[in-house]
Amino acid sequence: MKALGIGLIGTGYMGKCHALAWNAVAPVFGDVPRPRLAGLAEASQDLAERKARELGFERATGDWRTLLDDPGIDVVSIATPNAFHPEMAIAALEAGKHVWCEKPMAVTLEDAERMLAAARASGKVAALGYNYIQNPVVRLVRRILDEGRIGAVNHVRLEMDEDFMADPDAFFSWKSEASSGHGALDDFGVHPLSLLRVLVGGVRRVCGHMAKPYADRPLQGGGRRAVETHDIASVLMELENGASGVLALNRSAWGRKGRIFVQIFGSEGAVVYDQERMNELQLYTADDARERQGFRTILAGPQHPPYDRFVPAPGHGLGFNDLKVIECRELIRRIAGEAAHLIEFEDGIRIERTVDAIARSAREGRWIDVAADARREAA
Amino acid sequence: MKALGIGLIGTGYMGKCHALAWNAVAPVFGDVPRPRLAGLAEASQDLAERKARELGFERATGDWRTLLDDPGIDVVSIATPNAFHPEMAIAALEAGKHVWCEKPMAVTLEDAERMLAAARASGKVAALGYNYIQNPVVRLVRRILDEGRIGAVNHVRLEMDEDFMADPDAFFSWKSEASSGHGALDDFGVHPLSLLRVLVGGVRRVCGHMAKPYADRPLQGGGRRAVETHDIASVLMELENGASGVLALNRSAWGRKGRIFVQIFGSEGAVVYDQERMNELQLYTADDARERQGFRTILAGPQHPPYDRFVPAPGHGLGFNDLKVIECRELIRRIAGEAAHLIEFEDGIRIERTVDAIARSAREGRWIDVAADARREAA
Amino acid sequence: MKALGIGLIGTGYMGKCHALAWNAVAPVFGDVPRPRLAGLAEASQDLAERKARELGFERATGDWRTLLDDPGIDVVSIATPNAFHPEMAIAALEAGKHVWCEKPMAVTLEDAERMLAAARASGKVAALGYNYIQNPVVRLVRRILDEGRIGAVNHVRLEMDEDFMADPDAFFSWKSEASSGHGALDDFGVHPLSLLRVLVGGVRRVCGHMAKPYADRPLQGGGRRAVETHDIASVLMELENGASGVLALNRSAWGRKGRIFVQIFGSEGAVVYDQERMNELQLYTADDARERQGFRTILAGPQHPPYDRFVPAPGHGLGFNDLKVIECRELIRRIAGEAAHLIEFEDGIRIERTVDAIARSAREGRWIDVAADARREAA
Amino acid sequence: MKALGIGLIGTGYMGKCHALAWNAVAPVFGDVPRPRLAGLAEASQDLAERKARELGFERATGDWRTLLDDPGIDVVSIATPNAFHPEMAIAALEAGKHVWCEKPMAVTLEDAERMLAAARASGKVAALGYNYIQNPVVRLVRRILDEGRIGAVNHVRLEMDEDFMADPDAFFSWKSEASSGHGALDDFGVHPLSLLRVLVGGVRRVCGHMAKPYADRPLQGGGRRAVETHDIASVLMELENGASGVLALNRSAWGRKGRIFVQIFGSEGAVVYDQERMNELQLYTADDARERQGFRTILAGPQHPPYDRFVPAPGHGLGFNDLKVIECRELIRRIAGEAAHLIEFEDGIRIERTVDAIARSAREGRWIDVAADARREAA
């Protein structure tokens, strides 16, 4: 495996997270070559230089396109606002770079489809930042399901709730503008959908509803402006495997900070996962003796790879950033041609199509067949 | 307040619960006269006599109509299978008895409407067995909402899950027959709907989905029979107060035993309640200092009336049967003409109409306006 | 089994609890004759009459000795302040009554020993009100231990915490007077010790420490008075089975309402129980597959007798008062000569001796051999 | 602030943790210069070279003393078995290096005192690896206490439990040899003692008890060998601030993986912390309205510095390794002469003296005055 040269665009929330992962992946895993942090792009040269210094990148630029011309850069991390993803990802792929792009792919499904087309045309790896699927505990869920320990899955409930939009007195921001997307649905609903995809599979039909907890918000300069996005989304689903499902999203849910609550029911048991307690899994299996049945709380430990690469002792806990380190290694392995656990554009597009179908369903007040898109595409 | 004479029809699960409540209500509360347990009806004279002895009733009968002729009986507790409710409740009301009928009112909305008509015509108290609303913790939720501690409610999620239908190898039973009703929806979905009604209010529109985790079940004599009811129901809701909501029901949810999970989000906080931990309430208020905000777990105690009538010390815990004792006292007070916290037929019919609308919505795959029924009725 | 005549002395906290149990035991269990609530004694005739009416007792008296002369009374429930227990229990036993006395037996060990002597001399049943041992969940612990599911017990931790003495500004009360006993140790420390006794066995050696969180308290009339009792007690223990143990008690523990936290560790697993969630048990067994090991939360249900006599459905929850109903039936069975699960004076005295040894140990600042008392007694 | 040159001795459990922290500290915090990972020592040259490659160190050596001769090394991380700490730390200090040594300081108090003397003589920074005190949640506890939000602390309970010694069939290992130390007490009891020190303060008197859950263990070659260490330790404490305390340790506690359970009670509230849920804090304050009082679960977030340096969103969770990164930055700041939150040898020696006093107390079966050592030393 050769050492990869890395370019990073964006150093905010997830950009820093990428940078930390590129720094940590080699010492944590010990089985991949240390990446060369070649270049970093930010909105201005000054900011880029400061961030490059902090985050350990060799070169800095105020123009992200510069990174694409750098032959020392193999992979481009894209961690900019969603609206920039299409242009940057397509340009990077066309420049022959592998791409590691934050979720969601784009603001519109059309853009996402263009990104997929570019990825296919390039032959490069185009991966998405769906870090929650990397949690060793989520991987354990996958094994539990594969081994049939809860039987055939027949019902799924997914919730994602945070409260960053909960304050009715907070000023109107870009998150309330229609140009930012639908609201909770694409802002973070793609996360539970990514878990659904890797754990249970695809979505066949949806019926969505979106709501605005606050009709308008104060403007900083005085006055109020109508809110254009929906902080709440609720969805009924029929899954491709025949199971029924519910997806509920709320980014104005006071008290919820990073809750992704997943309940999967099967014919022989159930698993329950809460991202706010990301080092725990609840498992119920119907084959225990009746008087001793109950959900068991499994604490993450070295028996749940790759937890062991972080800490050799169980119950000591991984953090949010550690998931990105795991994802980073999967990406490196994927680029090296090895099997990897990643959501790439090919799979990510299905999440985008589901999001799009939900939004249309909510708008039109009726059930929509998600698969229709796929069939249309196949035709 | 005069001592009431009580007749009880049915001594199964909820019938015994009624009997225990009639026994306990006077010593627990000390402010209502001890009821006279006048008569008990069961399917046979023998069974009735045995149960009357056990449960402390004076007379026993194998024919429930006998109770209606007894001038010493003021109230009839009806705790028989749902299909019997209409005939019994209507007959009892027509005989001039007050009625305390277990939920749901009936298997069909038509029957429920007939029951309401009989109640109106009788001028008697016709109450329903919605015991969960009596929990001191639920009453605390009501106060918290009334006092505006979580602001204006804008989103509600309700779940009710048990696992008594979860075993795919269990024999086909009457619960899988269409004649028993829709399935989870009316079997127990009315419970969370009762909480919704007393806590947040009415339902304006619904979009439901119902699913069968198991297509068929084994017959005791061999062979298999197709399941006709839906053990899973999921519903999108728009509430009369403008809030959005989700209702999710599953009676084949392995590991869930008596879960009614209620999440109510408002503009200034949130409350979360889980019936499996019925002595606890989770409350989050946005007005705490930022670094110390969190859901607080309030343990039921004497500061949450009428907990104090059961135990003077906090955190010692009420049980499921205690809720019926509280309901029983509310009924006695209501009959005496005092203010009471009860769901009577007038209110119960709205729950039934919501259930009916959900079932139709699921059947027809579209949103249904619940209020339409009410308007139709008003017309 | 003949119907017992009941006399009740005291109608406060636990007196009412006894009364509710005597009212409920027959309808709940259906296998014991309904007791005759013959007489009730309170501090005054007036109060007695009011309480008799409320609680369903036939006769009332302001003089508890009257009950002892009543040939219709077979059992006397004693639920008065601890200081009254010896005189009342001994008199009742001498009058040929069975006794059901609240814990602890007495304020001094000498008194408790006299009570035991009276019980032995009487040949009557002399039972104590250790209701927590009746919890179906605690009985499940007993079965789990008996079946060896957590192997040989080698370490036990017991905590009991409430906050009724936590407010430093609360006025000086009798609970702070030396005449009331040691403080947390005998006030409620006997409860975890009762669990220890029925679950693991006797205590061999102890080393105790007692502390006063507040040196003095305000007097209602002004001024302050030094606190004489210890709201906090902490104890190291060596158990008769060779296990080590810790007992920690605090009745000034803000936030704790009815916490009795029991952790039992064995060579093959562990169980954890919290009285504040009295319908749950945590069980860990080392024989699960390694990647799926965890504490499972077992919810009380009908598979844990006698839960089924209260509710036929699991997870619906018993309450504090229900435990007394179970205890009541055990007492009735014991009086009828059947096997029963009860702590009688013979066993209760060991708890009292342990308490006494802990108090002396704390006073003298050294380890004390509890068994010495027993040996002394045997000599 | 100048960039520090780092030498690392040992690359096992905590050695890797140090290496990850040295890699991450600059990009995470952005306010310290990126350290130069100059040299790494392991037991053999081969191993050292492999680890240097993985962990990003420039040079590798099979002889740790080589690092001390390297003028490019400013700080030496010591993460070897405890028995090696004294020789290495003293040599490093004598060579003019700053030292970052894992806990505990040494196997014997005498060695620890020698280490302290060397630190004093050197004038260099000598810090210990007490990472749990760095948790933003623990720092929040410190603020809550400082601000008097739970009033005056009067009782503390500390538990630390893991199950790595719980299997009675596991072979005899060095952890059961007396040369490894006392057992649970020094193996990990120093962790809760470090929390006690930074949160509440010093320990005045102790009474300890140590126990062996298993008398002997199988040898790999056949036969059995008596266990010499104590996997269980329980301690009564009187603290310097007048509070009483309990410390309970068990490294054979089935089901516990990384539990450090801290309960701190004060005159106006309580805080409860569990390391297995290291991103949560339970806080109870008595000044809430009575009917809404309860422990609130505070989720770690950016309002709890330096959480914000890892993730800008609350509730997303830090992991065990992140605590070391925080500690690392504190060390860098300390070396630069800035205020830092660290346990250095001066403070660490008090933990060691407490451990020593507890061990003697357990051996002699009596209370021991910890402060005596300090006074003796002062004399």
Side-chain angles (χ1 to χ4, degrees), chain B residues 24 211 354 362:
Chain B
T354 305

Side-chain angles (χ1 to χ4, degrees), chain A residues 13 16 23 26-28 34 54-55 132 162 257 276-277 280 299 309-310 312-314 316-321, chain D residues 13 16 23 26-28 30 34 54 132 162 257 276-277 280 299 309-310 312-314 316-321:
Chain A
Y13 186 162
K16 180 170 179 178
N23 269 281
V28 165
R34 175 172 286 248
E54 286 176 21
L55 301 171
Y132 294 120
E162 300 196 11
K257 304 301 180 183
E276 281 183 353
R277 288 180 171 165
E280 301 182 12
L299 280 177
R309 307 315 309 251
F310 293 85
H316 282 54
L318 301 194
F320 176 82
N321 286 337
Chain D
Y13 186 162
K16 179 169 179 179
N23 270 282
V28 165
R34 176 172 285 248
E54 287 177 21
Y132 294 120
E162 300 195 12
K257 305 302 179 182
E276 282 183 352
R277 288 179 172 168
E280 300 181 13
L299 281 177
R309 307 317 308 252
F310 294 87
H316 282 55
L318 301 193
F320 176 83
N321 287 338

